[in-house]
Amino acid sequence: MTTPDNAVLILDFGSQVTQLIARRVREAGVYSEIVPFAKGDEALARLKPRAIILSGSPASVSDVGAPMIPPGVLAADIPILGICYGEQALCAQAGGHVGASGHREFGRAALRIVGDCALFDGVWAKGEAHQVWMSHGDRIEAIPPGFRPVAVSDGAPFAAIADDAARRYGVQFHPEVVHTPDGARLLANFVTRVAGIPATWSMAGFRAAKIAEIRAQVGEERVLCGLSGGVDSAVAAVLIHEAIGDQLTCVFVDHGLLRLGEAEQVVTMFREHYHIPLVHVDASDVFMAGLAGVTDPEQKRKFIGGAFIDVFEAEARKIGGARFLAQGTLYPDVIESVSFTGGPSVTIKSHHNVGGLPARMNMALVEPLRELFKDEVRRLGVELGLPPTFVGRHPFPGPGLAIRIPGEVTRDACDTLRKADAIYLDEIRKAGLYDEIWQAFAVLLPVRTVGVMGDGRTYEKVCGLRAVTSVDGMTADVYPFESAFLSRCATRIVNEVQGINRVVYDYTSKPPGTIEWE
Ligand code: XMP
């Protein structure tokens, strides 16, 4: 297992993509910790990192109160890589000069390599040109003593700089994003070649470190974990159970808005395969009654969020209270909900999560997956022995079918939708497409249309089919099914599901659409 002796310290200046740096460092087999820039010196003393990476930032180094590299970090005798703002701050604080650029660079840019440097070893050579991703307005106009330019772009004469003797580097572009195709290899070079850190981090190491962390956080207290049936909360629960055993109680709330067979699958898996104490609450009457007459999507979401809280509160009381609440929060959930300034970002949809619960019940959160991305959580799930068919399941939203039935949600509508959804997913599986698709589901529209079946007229509802590809759910593309596949689904759904006589396919990407219809 990786020990903190081999850590990389990532100083966060507020970039939206700082976590991607950590992810790339993990992919290079090295442990890292992200710390707000102001705590850099403290982290340096505690972690004794082997290298430091300075993140980007929405700030400008010339802003009043701009984030600064702490003095201890600046003086540290270990390799430092500044990315975007990190490079600019390094220059501004070490004797260079940064000015506002007349030529903003945003998006893809061509980088020309003008010098050799350890970051580029085995990746880029002098004289070559490569695609990178830029996002900056300010630009470096003079570099500090000891540095030399090693790459340039149209908008950045110091697109990459190096001081090999001091092992300090700066890049104006973002190597951590996928739009810089070789970026991951540059970061791997920095941590393994420049800093000489052995590539020993692994998911097994992460699992062991998190288990120790959970034990330290929770002590002898009880933890309540809400299971949604999705991958994230299941992986969190299994990990926490491994850490604290029966101090964990899982609560699975069946709100009557689940997919076909879902409740049985989850209960069986947890009770029979994991022997994890699981309280299965059938709260469908409460949820259905509360949803009667509600047609507004936000009102549905708010009601469902509140009803979850009520169920959790009741269950917590039954076990004599719990000090901690466990959630399967992932990193994309964190960035979607918190802006750089700490203020609220615009609410597109109120996610059902139980964010109101800890405050109301005076609980602290246990969120062991907070720094991971979905595909990493899936790998952790496999590491923990969860069945691959479960780990590879498409995401399913907490409010369930309620947000896939525009208009009023009734038991009948849920039953109809469940059948159509199961047929659609069955066809997707049979076609071998399930794993290529990020998420696929059916929606039931409150619109009736006229059809003809046999010799008779029908007047039934419309079913919409949705399938998207995505990396993290924040943007999505429509999955391009062949028309024969969609025809097959339409035929089966109309023939086998009473109440539906027409099927349409949703061709909207995100943005401008969202993945769910509400
Ligand atoms: P949208 O519709 O916002 O969805 O493009 C992005 C991803 O998030 C899921 N989603 C939710 N997940 N609680 C959840 O746990 C929610 O309230 C919620 N709303 C949307 C959605 O299924 C997609 O994967």
Side-chain angles (χ1 to χ4, degrees), residues 98-113:
V98 178
S101 163
H103 183 128
R104 289 184 74 227
E105 273 184 308
F106 185 79
R108 286 185 180 80
L111 192 79
R112 293 184 301 285
I113 313 304

Side-chain angles (χ1 to χ4, degrees), residues 431-447:
L433 300 174
Y434 189 84
D435 293 335
E436 273 180 43
I437 296 170
W438 159 269
Q439 200 171 7
F441 55 88
V443 294
L444 185 67
L445 306 191
V447 180

Side-chain angles (χ1 to χ4, degrees), residues 301 349-353 395-399 403-404 438-439 473 510 514-516 518:
R301 286 171 167 277
K349 302 177 181 187
S350 309
H351 274 218
H352 86 290
N353 72 32
F396 186 64
I403 56 171
R404 295 178 179 175
W438 159 269
Q439 200 171 7
K510 172 182 179 177
T514 54
I515 295 176
E516 302 290 345
E518 291 196 331

Side-chain angles (χ1 to χ4, degrees), residues 343-357:
S345 44
V346 179
T347 302
I348 308 291
K349 302 177 181 187
S350 309
H351 274 218
H352 86 290
N353 72 32
V354 285
L357 184 62

Side-chain angles (χ1 to χ4, degrees), residues 91-302:
C91 284
Q93 291 181 240
H97 181 67
V98 178
S101 163
H103 183 128
R104 289 184 74 227
E105 273 184 308
F106 185 79
R108 286 185 180 80
L111 192 79
R112 293 184 301 285
I113 313 304
V114 298
D116 294 323
C117 124
L119 281 187
F120 303 164
D121 274 355
V123 186
W124 292 343
K126 197 169 160 182
E128 291 177 354
H130 293 279
Q131 180 194 304
V132 294
W133 184 262
M134 292 277 193
S135 174
H136 66 110
D138 289 353
R139 80 172 185 188
I140 295 163
E141 280 163 0
I143 51 179
F147 281 91
R148 67 198 162 87
V150 288
V152 300
S153 73
D154 284 349
F158 302 108
I161 57 173
D163 176 347
D164 292 309
R167 295 184 298 166
R168 293 191 172 194
Y169 301 87
V171 289
Q172 185 60 73
F173 59 90
H174 286 270
E176 68 276 34
V177 304
V178 288
H179 309 289
T180 300
D182 297 320
R185 292 166 70 202
L186 302 185
L187 285 166
N189 266 354
F190 176 68
V191 295
T192 56
R193 291 192 190 205
V194 175
I197 306 176
T200 52
W201 189 92
S202 64
M203 214 29 116
F206 177 85
R207 168 189 184 174
K210 279 291 158 189
I211 286 173
E213 211 174 277
I214 294 164
R215 285 186 185 140
Q217 183 190 5
V218 168
E220 304 289 309
E221 301 288 344
R222 298 204 65 86
V223 178
L224 197 72
C225 178
L227 286 181
S228 65
V231 178
D232 310 338
S233 58
V235 170
V238 172
L239 183 68
I240 295 168
H241 187 252
E242 204 167 298
I244 59 167
D246 290 352
Q247 283 165 255
L248 172 72
T249 301
C250 290
V251 180
F252 177 61
V253 182
D254 183 347
H255 46 18
L257 303 163
L258 297 167
R259 290 171 289 191
L260 202 68
E262 188 149 38
E264 297 74 21
Q265 282 166 21
V266 172
V267 172
T268 308
M269 190 178 84
F270 273 81
R271 289 212 179 122
E272 291 178 11
H273 296 301
Y274 286 100
H275 310 290
I276 295 179
L278 174 70
V279 183
H280 178 191
V281 186
D282 181 355
S284 54
D285 287 346
V286 176
F287 279 84
M288 285 301 164
L291 285 169
V294 180
T295 56
D296 176 69
E298 276 301 286
Q299 249 184 302
K300 284 183 191 174
R301 286 171 167 277
K302 295 252 161 70

